[in-house]
Amino acid sequence: MNRRVLVLNQDYSPITVCSVQKAFLLTYLHKTEMLVTAEGHQLRTVSKTFPMPAVIKLLKYTNVPYKGVSLTRQNIFKRDGFECQYCGIEKDLTLDHVVPKAKGGKTSWGNLVTACKRCNARKGDYTPEQAGLELKNDPFRPSYVLFLRDFSGFLCDEWRPYLQERVKV
């Protein structure tokens, strides 16, 4: 039972992803409402069968002060698809500052990319243009919803309607 459950706030905004066990417990304790069940899956006890949750919604609004994606090595690898952003190889990966730190480059989403050790050494203390390298994709800061939808590794079809980017009017 390695499935995951999408947790929504009372206003249907995504908050996090949790285990099926935790989602079932929250629903059983009347802290959440089950919006969507995992089709074809059930939870069984000795004498009862329950639908397996896929999406749950909190019954009380919870203020979440920071809903961003943490800048970590693993999250940058996820954003870049676990491949070198210069040559596309998927082995011996490390992080590279597009604008080197020695030249004022910051450690930020917009300046870090996944690179293999070979390309990182070739680039050295230069910008990609100076080193004759071209980035496959420009680095960007993923939104929380985008990260849950595209990079979490747990996306299932039942989540799709709740993970659309919200249009601000």
Side-chain angles (χ1 to χ4, degrees), residues 82-84 87-94 115-118:
F82 292 94
E83 67 179 25
C84 176
C87 70
I89 198 168
E90 297 177 355
K91 292 188 211 168
D92 294 327
L93 298 178
T94 184
C116 66
K117 289 180 181 176
R118 184 172 165 258

Side-chain angles (χ1 to χ4, degrees), residues 3-8 16-20 23-24 27 33-41 43 51-57 154-160 162-163:
R3 292 187 61 92
R4 296 298 212 187
V5 178
L6 178 65
V7 181
L8 306 176
T16 190
V17 174
C18 72
S19 68
V20 170
F24 180 76
T27 304
E33 166 188 1
M34 194 179 323
L35 296 178
V36 181
T37 61
E39 200 164 318
H41 298 294
L43 300 173
M52 182 182 288
V55 180
I56 60 174
K57 179 181 72 97
F154 299 114
L155 182 67
C156 58
D157 290 335
E158 294 94 351
W159 296 7
R160 291 188 194 283
Y162 302 99
L163 293 179

Side-chain angles (χ1 to χ4, degrees), residues 45-111:
T45 67
V46 175
S47 60
K48 291 186 179 184
T49 302
F50 299 95
M52 182 182 288
V55 180
I56 60 174
K57 179 181 72 97
L58 297 176
L59 294 177
K60 290 184 180 177
Y61 184 82
T62 302
N63 188 22
V64 182
Y66 178 69
K67 273 198 325 188
V69 181
S70 300
L71 179 63
T72 65
R73 176 184 195 85
Q74 203 61 25
N75 285 346
I76 290 173
F77 287 168
K78 285 179 186 177
R79 178 200 66 190
D80 294 342
F82 292 94
E83 67 179 25
C84 176
Q85 292 301 291
Y86 299 112
C87 70
I89 198 168
E90 297 177 355
K91 292 188 211 168
D92 294 327
L93 298 178
T94 184
L95 294 181
D96 177 52
H97 287 79
V98 178
V99 176
K101 288 175 85 172
K103 297 193 174 163
K106 305 282 184 208
T107 299
S108 66
W109 280 105
N111 194 43

